[in-house]
Amino acid sequence: MQFRFNHFYKPRRILYFVPADQNRKEDFFNCKYPKELIPYIGAFGTYDYPGLFVLNTDEYKGSVLGMEFRPDDDRISYPEGLDSVCLPGIYVMAVDVLEVEVLNDKVIDEVIDTVLHTDINYRKWTNAEIAKNPSVRQLFYSNDKIRIYFECLDTGKVEMVKPEGLSDVTKEQLYDIAFFDNYTGARNWRYIRHFLFEHVSPEINDFCFAIFDVKSFRMINELFSHIIANHYLIRISETLKKQDWIYESARCDNDNFVVIFKDMEDDEIRRKFTELFESLSPLDQDSKYQIFFRCGVVPMRATMLMDERVADAAKLAKSLGNKINKNEILFYTEKMYDDLFWADQIRAYLDTAIANDEFLVYMQPKYDVASENLKGAEALVRWNFKGVQFLPPSRFIPFFERIGLIGKVDDVVLHKVCECLCRWKKEGRNVKPVSVNLSRKQLENPNLLEYLCRVVDSYGVEHSLVDFELTESATYEDKDYMLALLNKLKKAGFSISIDDFGTGYSSLSLLADMPIDTLKIDKSFVDRLEAKPEDSKDVTLVRHIIMMAKDLRFHCLAEGAESKSQVERLRSLGCETIQGYYYSKPVPVCEYEKLL
C-alpha cells in the first residue's frame, strides 16, 4: 500500500448518521452508501462524501455511517429523521491509502496500526501528534482509495513560531533563523553566500560548486503529499552531510540544493554525483517511484573567479538539462554564457532585423535522380546581420527555436517564397514547388491552417506549389492534433514532407496514418553510404527506408548527397529525388530562377 499524508484543521460540524451494522459496513466497503444519505451527496453545506465514523463521545459510542454538515446555517437542507451529533473543531492528520484492492475491517486495522507507527511529524514547530484514543475516527472510500482522518492532539511541545517581540528571541535563535533552513535543518543560501565571500574555512583552499534540483518534485507533492515531500528534502540534506567529498551543502529554496566540494577531474565529479543521486532513489514510500536530478557544476577554475556569481553559472548549466527520466550532470562553460548573451542580443534585435529586411531566402534545388531534371527547391534562410555579416542558420535558428521566436522567421520566409512564386508565374517561368519549413512553435497555433491559406492566397499562389516540411521530432508531441492538422493541410491542397527522417524516435504506426507526400532521408544516412558494400547495415537500412516509403506511397527524397558515388548508390536503391551539394549548394533566388 502507498500512503499520502496531509495535516489540516476540520471546523466544527454536525454529523448526521445511521448505525453501521455489519451489512451496512460491507455495502460501504463496496462503495454502496445508505439510501438515507444518497440525496445529500454533493449538496450545499456538506463537507465530504458519506463515510464510516467510529465515535467515542458522551452522546454516542460505536460505528456509524454518516455525512458532515456545516452547522447553524438556514440555507442548508439538513436530513430529517436521522440521529446527529455535534463534532468540535479539531486538527486532523489525513492519510490517503492508494491502490487498495479490497477493503474490510482487517485492512483498516492494518492501515491504522501502520500509520500509528510511522514517523510523520514533518513540521519542526508542530504542536500536534495523532491521538491514541480519539473521540472520532473517520474513514472515506472511493475509487480504490482510502482516506482516514486521525484526530491530532496538542502536545505542548511547540517551538517559537512568532515571538511577541525582539526581546523574546535569543542570539542562538537568530543565528538559526539567519543561516539554517527550518524544514531540513540544513544550512541556507545566506550561509553559503557568506562562505563564498569570505572563504571562512582556512582548511579549504579552493573548491568546485554545484546546484541541483529534483526533477518533477511537484509531482511528489501532488502524488504523495507535502509531508512525504518534506521528508524527502530532509533525506537529501542528511545524505549530503555524510559525503566526505563535500565541504558544505545547503538547501536554497524549494527543491534546490547547493554543494561546495573538493576539486576533482570531471569524470570523477560525474561519478560522485551519479552515485549520490542513485542513492537518493527510489522514494522510501514507494520502491517503484524513481527520482531523477538535474545538476549544474562549475569547475574550480571558474568558481574561484566568480564569488557569488557562481550560482548564476551553475543555474545556467542546470537549466540546459531537458531529459525527463534521467539524471543529468552538466558542466558550465564560457560558451554557455556566450550563447545566452547572443540569444538575448538577437531576441531584442529580431523585430528590427525583420523591418530592415535582413533575412534572405536561398533556394537549394531538388533533382530527379533518373532524368536529372529540376523537381523544385527547398527555401532556406540566411541572415544579413545588420548589413555587415552573413550568418548561417546554425548561428540563429537554434536560438530562435529555443526562445520561441522561430515562427517570426518562418513567416518572413513564407512571404518571400510566395512573392517569388507569384512573380515567376507572371514572368511565364516553368514554376516548380518550393518547400517551406513549419516549426514546432507554429504547429501550436490553433489557427495555423487559416493563417497559411490567407498568406498563400494573398499572393494568388496555387496551394500545390507550396510544400510544408515538418521535422520528424515535431510530429510526435500530440498525435491526434498532428494528424488532424496534416489532414486539413492536405485537404487544402498543400503538399507535406517529413524532414530529417530517422533522426528522431519515429512511431511507424503513426507514420502509416500520416497524409504525407514526401519522406526525406536525413543526410546522416546518406553520409554512411560512401564506399560501403551492398550487404552492410548502413546500405540495408537506407534500402529498407526507401522500400517502406514506396510501399506507403510516399515520394522518397535523400538530403545531403555530395558525391557521384552517393548519387549512384541512391539511384540503385530506388531513391527518386536528391537534394545536395552534388547538384547544387543553396543559392540566391536570382541564381535559382535561371534554372526555371
Side-chain angles (χ1 to χ4, degrees):
M1 290 181 287
Q2 180 178 313
F3 295 91
R4 183 169 62 192
F5 300 94
N6 192 20
H7 182 212
F8 62 93
Y9 180 77
K10 289 200 78 169
R12 188 173 66 91
R13 61 248 186 251
I14 186 167
L15 175 68
Y16 286 87
F17 64 87
V18 295
D21 57 29
Q22 193 59 38
N23 290 333
R24 278 180 166 165
K25 287 174 66 175
E26 289 180 2
D27 285 344
F28 175 76
F29 294 153
N30 290 296
C31 295
K32 296 178 182 179
Y33 301 132
K35 62 181 181 180
E36 297 92 337
L37 300 176
I38 290 177
Y40 300 95
I41 295 176
F44 175 75
T46 57
Y47 283 120
D48 215 323
Y49 281 80
L52 175 64
F53 295 75
V54 180
L55 301 178
N56 186 25
T57 66
D58 294 337
E59 295 90 345
Y60 196 95
K61 298 183 187 299
S63 297
V64 301
L65 291 167
M67 289 184 68
E68 297 168 305
F69 292 74
R70 182 171 58 247
D72 307 322
D73 191 329
D74 294 337
R75 299 168 297 170
I76 298 175
S77 297
Y78 296 103
E80 296 181 359
L82 296 183
D83 291 331
S84 64
V85 60
C86 188
L87 300 176
I90 57 172
Y91 281 98
V92 297
M93 182 68 70
V95 181
D96 287 346
V97 189
L98 311 181
E99 299 177 357
V100 179
E101 295 181 359
V102 63
L103 181 62
N104 52 45
D105 289 326
K106 181 180 179 182
V107 172
I108 295 174
D109 290 341
E110 289 176 356
V111 171
I112 292 174
D113 184 68
T114 300
V115 171
L116 292 177
H117 291 86
T118 299
D119 177 19
I120 51 177
N121 184 16
Y122 68 104
R123 292 178 178 169
K124 183 178 180 181
W125 54 81
T126 186
N127 63 337
E129 66 178 30
I130 293 177
K132 304 302 182 187
N133 296 298
S135 58
V136 59
R137 183 171 288 151
Q138 308 157 58
L139 183 145
F140 300 87
Y141 180 57
S142 64
N143 299 323
D144 298 327
K145 180 179 72 176
I146 303 173
R147 170 171 289 183
I148 303 179
Y149 292 145
F150 291 86
E151 181 180 354
C152 291
L153 299 178
D154 187 341
T155 64
K157 300 175 183 177
V158 59
E159 296 188 21
M160 181 264 313
V161 177
K162 182 180 178 181
E164 294 297 326
L166 189 60
S167 60
D168 296 330
V169 184
T170 67
K171 289 183 178 181
E172 291 77 11
Q173 288 173 324
L174 283 175
Y175 182 83
D176 286 348
I177 293 170
F179 296 115
F180 288 86
D181 173 59
N182 278 326
Y183 274 117
T184 65
R187 297 191 186 276
N188 60 20
W189 171 248
R190 191 177 290 108
Y191 175 87
I192 294 296
R193 186 182 180 197
H194 178 62
F195 182 97
L196 294 173
F197 267 128
E198 303 295 336
H199 298 288
V200 293
S201 177
E203 294 83 13
I204 303 175
N205 193 50
D206 54 47
F207 50 85
C208 302
F209 185 93
I211 289 180
F212 69 85
D213 64 13
V214 183
K215 293 185 178 182
S216 301
F217 182 72
R218 180 174 60 86
M219 294 305 298
I220 300 178
N221 275 312
E222 294 182 358
L223 293 176
F224 298 93
S225 83
H226 291 279
I227 299 177
I228 299 302
N230 288 334
H231 268 291
Y232 187 68
L233 295 177
I234 294 172
R235 176 181 166 187
I236 293 175
S237 298
E238 292 177 347
T239 302
L240 291 176
K241 293 175 185 177
K242 297 175 183 177
Q243 308 304 309
D244 58 7
W245 52 281
I246 293 177
Y247 294 138
E248 293 286 356
S249 62
R251 180 195 177 206
C252 295
D253 57 78
N254 299 325
D255 57 313
N256 286 279
F257 288 82
V258 162
V259 176
I260 292 174
F261 59 98
K262 67 180 180 181
D263 187 26
M264 295 175 279
E265 295 287 345
D266 288 355
D267 288 345
E268 180 69 4
I269 292 174
R270 187 174 283 105
R271 185 181 67 81
K272 289 285 190 182
F273 274 104
T274 298
E275 292 175 351
L276 171 67
F277 295 151
E278 289 177 351
S279 72
L280 291 168
S281 183
L283 196 65
D284 287 338
Q285 287 74 16
D286 185 351
S287 61
K288 296 179 181 179
Y289 193 88
Q290 298 296 314
I291 298 175
F292 301 96
F293 297 82
R294 182 187 298 106
C295 179
V297 175
V298 183
M300 183 273 294
R301 289 181 298 278
T303 296
M304 304 315 294
L305 299 174
M306 288 187 178
D307 55 66
E308 67 172 319
R309 292 177 298 125
V310 70
D312 296 328
K315 289 177 182 177
L316 173 58
K318 179 169 72 72
S319 70
L320 299 180
N322 55 14
K323 296 179 176 61
I324 299 176
N325 294 324
K326 182 179 180 181
N327 289 320
E328 294 181 276
I329 302 161
L330 303 107
F331 288 77
Y332 171 80
T333 64
E334 286 295 329
K335 184 179 183 301
M336 290 180 182
Y337 176 80
D338 293 342
D339 287 348
L340 179 66
F341 180 79
W342 171 246
D344 284 341
Q345 183 181 358
I346 62 176
R347 183 211 316 259
Y349 185 68
L350 176 59
D351 289 340
T352 301
I354 293 174
N356 293 342
D357 197 24
E358 295 181 11
F359 291 100
L360 306 176
V361 168
Y362 275 48
M363 299 286 185
Q364 186 168 29
K366 305 174 185 177
Y367 283 88
D368 181 88
V369 176
S371 65
E372 297 200 328
N373 291 329
L374 182 69
K375 292 276 290 183
E378 179 181 1
L380 303 170
V381 65
R382 300 292 185 267
W383 190 357
N384 185 14
F385 185 63
K386 298 186 177 181
V388 297
Q389 181 186 10
F390 268 82
L391 299 179
S394 60
R395 284 289 290 141
F396 59 92
I397 287 181
F399 297 97
F400 285 139
E401 287 178 336
R402 193 176 305 143
I403 59 183
L405 294 177
I406 190 61
K408 289 188 175 184
V409 179
D410 288 341
D411 287 345
V412 171
V413 174
L414 178 60
H415 277 276
K416 286 181 176 288
V417 166
C418 289
E419 183 182 6
C420 289
L421 291 169
C422 177
R423 178 168 56 83
W424 293 337
K425 182 179 179 181
K426 290 179 180 180
E427 293 172 352
R429 298 179 185 271
N430 183 17
V431 183
K432 304 290 185 182
V434 176
S435 299
V436 180
N437 285 315
L438 275 182
S439 67
R440 183 190 296 262
K441 190 65 178 178
Q442 284 180 297
L443 297 176
E444 296 173 359
N445 178 5
N447 302 313
L448 178 62
L449 177 63
E450 292 79 2
Y451 170 76
L452 296 177
C453 289
R454 186 167 63 250
V455 171
V456 176
D457 292 344
S458 69
Y459 291 91
V461 172
E462 296 177 18
H463 290 192
S464 60
L465 292 175
V466 180
D467 175 51
F468 288 113
E469 288 193 5
L470 296 82
T471 59
E472 181 188 1
S473 59
T475 61
Y476 296 100
E477 285 290 305
D478 184 334
K479 297 178 181 180
D480 293 337
Y481 170 79
M482 185 57 55
L483 288 174
L485 175 60
L486 295 182
N487 278 298
K488 290 178 182 178
L489 287 171
K490 185 72 173 176
K491 188 175 182 180
F494 297 108
S495 297
I496 303 169
S497 297
I498 296 296
D499 197 12
D500 303 331
F501 181 78
T503 59
Y505 297 94
S506 302
S507 169
L508 295 180
S509 61
L510 179 62
L511 191 65
D513 294 330
M514 287 183 173
I516 65 176
D517 299 278
T518 303
L519 196 68
K520 298 184 70 174
I521 302 174
D522 187 69
K523 183 181 184 300
S524 61
F525 290 94
V526 176
D527 291 341
R528 299 175 196 169
L529 297 179
E530 197 78 52
K532 292 290 181 70
E534 283 294 321
D535 60 351
S536 68
K537 291 182 179 179
D538 292 323
V539 174
T540 300
L541 184 59
V542 173
R543 180 188 297 113
H544 283 281
I545 291 175
I546 295 172
M547 291 172 58
M548 178 189 69
K550 290 186 174 183
D551 288 342
L552 292 172
R553 297 182 180 84
F554 300 154
H555 188 82
C556 192
L557 182 151
E559 296 182 285
E562 299 178 352
S563 66
K564 184 176 181 179
S565 62
Q566 289 176 333
V567 172
E568 293 298 331
R569 177 60 63 81
L570 288 166
R571 181 185 288 117
S572 69
L573 294 175
C575 184
E576 299 154 300
T577 306
I578 289 180
Q579 172 187 340
Y581 274 48
Y582 175 76
Y583 286 109
S584 175
K585 64 181 180 181
V587 296
V589 170
C590 61
E591 291 187 26
Y592 172 74
E593 61 189 17
K594 295 176 183 178
L595 303 173
L596 298 176

